Amino acid sequence: MARRIVPAQSTESELPSPAARRVRSPRWLDVRLLIGLALVLASVVAGAKVLADADKSVTVWAVTADLAAGSTLTEADLRTVDVRLDEHAAAYVAATSSPVGKTLSRDVSEGDLLPARSVAAAEELVALALSIPAAHVPVSVGRGDRVTLYATPEPVAGAKAAPGATTMVVEAVPVADVSERSQGALSVGSGQLQVVIKVPSCAVPGILDGTTGKTLTLVEVGRGAVAPAGC
């Protein structure tokens, strides 16, 4: 008897079909996206503020060393700086004009912005050169410092009387220049130094009368010292 063969049924119909997944639309209100946008916006605002602040800066003069009133400004005494001064800009000397050659009417310190009033017209000062023993000039004294000048009568040869008392000739005046101490006979401890001071022109005769025939001595005073009113 012939055997009947029944074909096997496919098992594919028995397997469940996978569920279809829908593509989700992007969530524009995602928290991470909002944080990123906030950071970008903050950086843009900060950059704009920096640029705006830079546009408000002005270029003015500043001094490169301590200088006493009466000092004449040179190129080496000055440098330009960019600063924000807002409504106070007019109080300082702008870099659009040069103060070189002008005389200070007040003391200034290294790094200070140059006040406009410090180079305003002041009492006329002249340069007076004095010959002073090198040992009587402090090694720290230089251009821009303030000094007080004393005079001691020189003893007269053969005289029995003691020389007169030391007197102050001029007080708290600015130094304009000091000759080099290392030039030959002008070394410290020997010879003479030429010291140039700035004084009112009307004070020159009295200073010359008070120093002729006398030994001079300089004493450095603080920058806060103020010279007496002019003659």
Side-chain angles (χ1 to χ4, degrees):
M1 179 175 181
R3 193 174 203 181
R4 185 179 180 183
I5 300 175
V6 180
Q9 294 184 353
S10 174
T11 58
E12 293 183 358
S13 59
E14 299 176 0
L15 297 176
S17 300
R21 300 184 60 184
R22 297 180 60 185
V23 178
R24 297 177 59 186
S25 58
R27 296 180 57 187
W28 295 107
L29 295 181
D30 186 271
V31 175
R32 290 173 295 179
L33 178 61
L34 291 177
I35 294 175
L37 289 175
L39 292 175
V40 171
L41 180 60
S43 63
V44 170
V45 172
K49 187 177 185 304
V50 170
L51 292 177
D53 291 344
D55 291 340
K56 295 179 182 178
S57 65
V58 293
T59 305
V60 297
W61 292 105
V63 294
T64 59
D66 295 339
L67 297 172
S71 301
T72 301
L73 293 170
T74 67
E75 291 184 359
D77 298 325
L78 301 163
R79 64 184 179 92
T80 57
V81 294
D82 295 327
V83 291
R84 280 196 60 188
L85 296 173
D86 298 328
E87 68 274 12
H88 303 294
Y92 300 93
V93 181
T96 53
S97 60
S98 175
V100 172
K102 294 186 177 181
T103 301
L104 289 173
S105 60
R106 65 175 69 174
D107 294 352
V108 292
S109 300
E110 179 182 356
D112 284 353
L113 302 182
L114 186 62
R117 292 185 178 181
S118 69
V119 293
E123 183 181 9
E124 180 187 2
L125 298 177
V126 297
L128 176 63
L130 301 171
S131 182
I132 305 176
H136 292 194
V137 180
V139 294
S140 59
V141 168
R143 178 177 174 273
D145 293 324
R146 282 189 178 276
V147 294
T148 293
L149 177 65
Y150 292 89
T152 305
E154 296 178 355
V156 179
K160 296 181 180 180
T166 298
T167 57
M168 184 178 68
V169 181
V170 64
E171 180 181 7
V173 293
V175 175
D177 191 26
V178 178
S179 60
E180 293 294 335
R181 300 175 185 269
S182 59
Q183 295 178 353
L186 299 182
S187 59
V188 175
S190 65
Q192 302 283 312
L193 290 176
Q194 184 184 71
V195 180
V196 181
I197 59 176
K198 300 294 286 292
V199 296
S201 57
C202 58
V204 173
I207 295 175
L208 293 178
D209 289 342
T211 57
T212 301
K214 299 179 181 180
T215 300
L216 306 182
T217 301
L218 282 185
V219 174
E220 185 176 6
V221 297
R223 295 186 180 279
V226 179
C231 44

